[in-house]
Amino acid sequence: MNDLSKPKITAGLITELSPRDRDDLCDATDAAIELDGGFGWVDKPSRYILERYWQGVLAVPQRHLFVGRVDGTIAGTAQLVENAPNNQAQALNVELTTFFVAPWARGQGLGQLLIDTLEAAAREKNLCVISLNVRETQFGAIQLFKKNNYTHFGTHPLYAYVHGETVPGHYFCKQLQDWPQPKTPQEK
């Protein structure tokens, strides 16, 4: 396969949605939900609800939306969610959520590129730890997190209820960089 036929994959932070991006994002979300539950939805919500959801994500200052694109079309997302300013004890921790790649875009390295991109952004913000949780049925995502050295530290046996069945969930974390050293009394 030559470079001309290979799809171009990119990933980055976005702070606003063009009408095309909004449509791509909703289409990718619908496809992920239909195949394996997306990122929490079991049944596809209406288009109106999806559009409002994504607009709402961009309105929250502590939420940072990363999108992955294949040939310019949004095909996956991930969010880094910082703790509220009053949570000083966990100010250096961030949660990874709404991580998915649309079924038609899987197997091209987009999930890996999203992880690399959001981890680099977290490091730039001097964040030290990323935490996440995922349903046991999200096999591809679990393998990707393990491959990227996320540590599985717990399982919730009653994590989700999907189509009449209880589904366990797994909790992961990764330390991106060392904690900052406390200031000595002379430096304070």
Side-chain angles (χ1 to χ4, degrees):
M1 183 183 284
N2 64 38
D3 285 344
L4 296 176
S5 61
K6 192 174 180 181
K8 181 181 178 188
I9 62 168
T10 59
L13 176 70
I14 63 171
T15 57
E16 57 185 53
L17 288 174
S18 69
R20 178 181 173 200
D21 283 350
R22 183 196 62 227
D23 289 343
D24 288 351
L25 195 48
C26 290
D27 290 345
T29 305
D30 279 344
I33 292 168
E34 273 184 2
L35 181 68
D36 53 19
F39 51 86
W41 272 299
V42 175
D43 300 311
K44 286 187 346 182
S46 72
R47 189 60 161 225
Y48 174 78
I49 289 174
L50 274 181
E51 289 175 0
R52 301 275 299 165
Y53 171 79
W54 289 116
Q55 284 300 126
V57 165
L58 295 176
V60 179
Q62 286 87 6
R63 287 187 175 265
H64 308 286
L65 178 60
F66 294 81
V67 297
R69 298 175 190 266
V70 176
D71 290 333
T73 300
I74 293 177
T77 74
Q79 290 179 53
L80 287 180
V81 182
E82 293 184 70
N83 286 293
N86 67 307
N87 188 350
Q88 293 175 317
Q90 292 180 313
L92 302 176
N93 295 3
V94 67
E95 181 184 5
L96 168 57
T97 186
T98 66
F99 180 85
F100 75 90
V101 174
W104 60 267
R106 293 178 185 173
Q108 299 180 61
L110 189 57
Q112 183 63 56
L113 183 59
L114 275 166
I115 287 177
D116 293 343
T117 302
L118 66 88
E119 284 183 3
R123 283 184 185 96
E124 283 179 26
K125 291 179 73 63
N126 295 316
L127 297 166
C128 296
V129 176
I130 294 180
S131 300
L132 63 96
N133 56 74
V134 60
R135 283 197 314 253
E136 183 176 79
T137 55
Q138 304 291 316
F139 306 112
I142 290 169
Q143 290 309 309
L144 186 59
F145 296 131
K146 286 180 177 180
K147 176 184 158 201
N148 282 277
N149 299 314
Y150 282 77
T151 301
H152 176 243
F153 66 88
T155 299
H156 186 321
L158 305 172
Y159 179 79
Y161 188 72
V162 180
H163 302 300
E165 293 187 27
T166 302
V167 179
H170 298 292
Y171 292 82
F172 291 86
C173 68
K174 180 176 182 177
Q175 186 166 2
L176 297 174
Q177 53 197 1
D178 291 336
W179 298 105
Q181 295 301 311
K183 292 181 180 181
T184 63
Q186 295 84 3
E187 295 175 311
K188 290 184 182 181

